[in-house]
Structures are given as C-alpha cells and as structure tokens.
Amino acid sequence: MKGDPRVGHESLTPGAGFLWACGLGFAVTGLALFYPVLNGAFFGDDWALYLAQPAAHISSAFSEARPFSTYRPIQLLLVATSQAFLGDSTLPVHLLNLALHTALAVLVVRALVSFGVPAVGAALGGLYITASQLAASAVGGNDTISLTLGTLAGSGALLLMCPLSPERAARPSLAAVAFAVALFSKESSVGYLPLLALLAWLRWARRAGGLRKVVLSTACFGAVTLLYLVLRARAGGAVPDLATNQYVRFGVHVFQNIALLGLAAVVPLSTTRIFVGLAEHRWLWPAAGALSALALVAFVTWGMARAGKLQLVASFALASVVLLSPVLLLVHVSELYAYAVLPLVAVLFGWSAGSLVTRGAGLAQRLAAAFATLVLAANAWAAHEDALAMARNGVEARALMPQLLEHMRSLPPSGTAVLVEPPLDVPNYSVFQVSGFVGVLLPQEAIPEMTGRGDVQMLSVASGEPLPDPCLGCVFLSLAPGNRIVPMP
C-alpha cells in the first residue's frame, strides 16, 4: 500500500538467502585463514584429550570429569567419537570447530538483522567474528570444542529470548535447551544464567501476568544449572578452593583479568606480539595494540551514538563482565576465555559500522568504511599468523612426544621424569608461541593411557631452578639440538 512505511522496511530486510550467502562467505574466509592448523598435530592441552581407548569414553562421557577434572561431557563425547572412528587425526575436530565458529558468525548476522541493522552492517559484524585474532585458538585446538560450542549455544540462548526485539515472541523453552548444551560443553557457561534471567525480567516483568512467566522461565534455567551441577559433582568435577588461593582467589587480579580479557576481545592486532613486546620491554607493539583498541572503542561509540543506541555500549560491556564472571577469580586466566564475549563485541562493531557506512555522508562515510576494512584486515592477518604458529607447535610436539614416551616407559618403578626446561630465547605465550617441553607436558590423568604405566609421573622445572633432591626414581631429561630429548648426567 502506497505510503505504508512497513513496505519499504520489509523490502530492505535481508532474507534467508542473505544468511546462507554470509555463511558460505564466512566458511571460505575461515578456510583461507586457518587452513595451516586444520590438520595440526596435538600439542599443549590437546594431549589431555588424546585417548588410548576412545571407544570406552563414548558411553561414559557424561559420567567422568576429563580433562583436568573438568566436566565437559559433550566435548569428550565428540572427541572420543572422532578418535574411535577416524583415528588420531585432528582434522575432523578442527573442521567441526570451524563449522561452529562459522555458525556463530551467522548467528551474529541473524541478531543484527533482527535488530534492524542494515545488511552491510550485519555482514561486517559476522566478518568480525570470522576473522578475529581470537579465532585461531578456538578453531585450531583439539580441546576447544567446549569453547566454540559453548559460545554458540549460549549466544543462541540469549538470542532466543529476543533481546531488543520486544515485538518478536521469545522462546524460553528452546533457550533452556540451548543453555543446557552450553553448560554441558563448558562449565564457565554458567555466566549465561544471570543474563537469561535478566532478559526474562526485562521482557515480561511489566506486563500483565508477566511475573509468572519470569518466575517459570528463570526456574527452568535454574533447574538446568542444578542438573548440571549434580551430574558434575557425581562425575568428580573439581570444585574451586578459595581457601588455598592456588587457582582462584579474590584480589586486585580480578580487575587485571577484566582488562586482559577486554583487550583480547577488542584489539585487532596480534596479542602474541603485544605480550612478547611487554615481556621484553619493546614498546612498539604494546603501544600499537593499546591505540588500536582505543580506536575501535571510539569507533563503536561513535557509530552507536549515530544510531541512537549509545546506552547499549555500556550495557554490553556490563553483560560481558557478567558472562565472564565465572573465570574472573582465576589466578591465571587465558585470553581464550574472551572468545565467549566476542559475539557481543561483533554485534556492536557491525551495528556501528552499519550506521556509519550507510547513514554517513562524504568524508565521514569513507573514513568509517576504511577503518572497518582496516580492523578486519588486521584481525585476519593476526589470526592467520597465529594459525601458522600453532601448526609449527604441533610439528615440534609430534617430534618430541614419541621420544618422551619412550623415556617414561623405561622409568624405574614409581619413577618420575623431570623435564628440565632450557633457557627461553623468547617468552612462552598462550598456545601461539611455545618452546621447550611446554608442547608435550602431560596431565597426570593422561600418563597411564599414553605410557601404559600407572606408576610413573612427570615433573617440569625451569633451567636454573634447584632440582628435586632427593628424588627417588627420578630421571632428568633435557633438550639437545635437533629437538632430541636426552638424559642429563
């Protein structure tokens, strides 16, 4: 009907074809960026999910806590199934990670479209997820299905509550199912619980009879969490111990963790280069990282102000802190946890970029388009660089592990392999830059399966540290040139 504003609006709303096209584009982009690590070998924490008898873990996945006494049954089920039917190749798991990562990018596009963001902004938000420098570790790890699937399912649960779209019907039952998938993928997904309860309150609390819906939906989310905690306890999942302060504690480090994870979520440059620069007191990369992060925050703030949604910047920042709250007490936090808030950052980026590129004029519009392109290109370069580094780490670990296992199998009864780490030329950082024995350190729970012996253990000491003395049954091992593991005299 002529003059009906809805007609023009609907004609500009991207349809299902747009989502499929975005998904295909994101998948191709992901393959181009992460192909070096898609068939990368086990290294680092991956060994905790190297299963000598994978078929035995398929039926027991929901009744055992592994790896590192964590309860992630969906991840264990998927990894065990892959190894049971497809062997030791990491390619199936990494391809699954890439598929989940691509689906997360499409979910961001879907969210932006439902919020009324122009198609170009929605596509840019999806590209931000796809090319993020955080994505290499998520796609290229064998123990990161918990991260990719947990984030996809948790973000899907939030979207099913239709935030910012009150005219659309929420689906709390489906949201509860998605939340369950997130929880049984990764324990830190409990951070979605308060956000889901808040969305239920905001949607129904002020409506007639809405309080009942709030109580029922929140009780449903709570029941899912309780079920998870009960099964986790029965499986022997580790419980954080604040009394020892060994792994978790209250303190100033909580704010440091917030800063670290916040920087990792928004900086478009390589965090490896930034960290190594800090550790070696070379300030070019740290300064560039800080400036680029500030520039991105300013860009998002500008774009959201132009769209009349400036309050969402603070709201999403607070939501990110709530989502990450289960890990903020950790004494040592990995930047990988920032992946969980990547969809929130991508939504803000796409919304801002869409507002500035489609509604701007002249120089401002061109500058906005150039900056958005630069952010995506910088992220893509950093992500590809990290994928190459992870692939190199896998090659080194593949050469070292058979030697290490041979030494451990020949240990005396109740013996200990003491790995003496060589002096580092450059600092180890996350999963991207490792040297020495870091890539082949085995968790105790994996040693019996890897060596066939349940009486031996492994200990790592840094070069220059005093060696254990006395150490009955100890064999001291060091690295010789050519990646050879040799006993110390």
Side-chain angles (χ1 to χ4, degrees), residues 105-345:
V106 174
L107 187 71
V108 166
V109 174
R110 180 67 182 85
L112 287 167
V113 168
S114 70
F115 299 157
V117 175
V120 63
L124 288 173
L127 280 173
Y128 186 91
I129 284 271
T130 304
S132 170
Q133 56 93 22
L134 280 174
S137 54
V139 171
N142 222 51
D143 69 329
T144 51
I145 292 177
S146 60
L147 185 66
T148 52
L149 180 56
T151 302
L152 174 62
S155 300
L158 295 179
L159 187 58
L160 284 165
M161 294 299 290
C162 294
L164 310 181
S165 303
E167 72 283 355
R168 302 171 67 92
R171 299 180 180 180
S173 298
L174 288 178
V177 173
F179 177 49
V181 173
L183 268 181
F184 284 90
S185 297
K186 192 172 181 67
E187 61 281 350
S188 59
S189 296
V190 72
Y192 289 103
L193 176 60
L195 296 180
L196 289 168
L198 176 62
L199 290 179
W201 175 266
L202 293 176
R203 169 165 286 273
W204 293 306
R206 296 183 180 180
R207 298 183 183 181
L211 190 58
R212 180 175 176 272
K213 286 187 176 181
V214 173
V215 172
L216 287 176
S217 57
T218 302
C220 187
F221 300 139
V224 169
T225 306
L226 181 61
L227 174 64
Y228 166 79
L229 292 175
V230 169
L231 294 177
R232 185 177 188 274
R234 294 187 64 180
V239 178
D241 187 358
L242 288 170
T244 63
N245 288 336
Q246 184 177 4
Y247 300 109
V248 293
R249 68 168 184 262
F250 293 101
V252 177
H253 75 288
V254 172
F255 299 100
Q256 295 173 342
N257 288 343
I258 292 174
L260 170 64
L261 295 175
L263 177 67
V266 301
V267 67
L269 301 179
S270 169
T271 51
T272 306
R273 291 179 178 269
I274 293 170
F275 172 82
V276 172
L278 284 172
E280 297 182 344
H281 304 291
R282 294 184 287 108
W283 305 112
L284 178 60
W285 277 102
L291 290 175
S292 65
L294 288 173
L296 183 61
V297 171
F299 176 80
V300 166
T301 303
W302 177 28
M304 295 304 286
R306 175 67 65 88
K309 300 291 183 180
L310 184 59
Q311 72 278 5
L312 288 183
V313 177
S315 298
F316 276 40
L318 182 58
S320 297
V321 174
V322 172
L323 180 54
L324 293 173
S325 58
V327 303
L328 294 180
L329 293 180
L330 292 174
V331 176
H332 300 290
V333 68
S334 168
E335 72 170 30
L336 304 187
Y337 286 112
Y339 185 87
V341 302
L342 201 54
L344 299 178
V345 178

Side-chain angles (χ1 to χ4, degrees), residues 42-44 46-53 57 66 83 88 397 400-406 408-409 439-454 456 458:
F42 288 80
F43 79 97
D46 287 344
W47 295 115
L49 284 171
Y50 183 94
L51 307 172
Q53 297 179 321
H57 296 276
R66 184 188 180 113
Q83 291 184 32
D88 295 343
L400 289 176
M401 183 55 77
Q403 303 176 57
L404 178 60
L405 295 180
E406 182 179 353
M408 294 193 69
R409 292 186 183 115
V440 292
L441 293 180
L442 292 175
Q444 187 61 37
E445 62 187 352
I447 290 176
E449 291 200 49
M450 296 284 288
T451 64
R453 294 185 59 179
V456 297
M458 179 186 296

Side-chain angles (χ1 to χ4, degrees), residues 380-451:
W381 171 67
H384 185 66
E385 188 177 61
D386 285 344
L388 289 169
M390 293 178 72
R392 288 194 298 269
N393 295 338
V395 170
E396 292 188 4
R398 181 185 287 151
L400 289 176
M401 183 55 77
Q403 303 176 57
L404 178 60
L405 295 180
E406 182 179 353
H407 283 290
M408 294 193 69
R409 292 186 183 115
S410 62
L411 288 172
S414 301
T416 299
V418 182
L419 310 183
V420 183
E421 295 283 0
L424 297 180
D425 296 329
V426 291
N428 284 324
Y429 178 70
S430 189
V431 295
F432 307 120
Q433 181 169 291
V434 299
S435 59
F437 288 108
V438 176
V440 292
L441 293 180
L442 292 175
Q444 187 61 37
E445 62 187 352
I447 290 176
E449 291 200 49
M450 296 284 288
T451 64

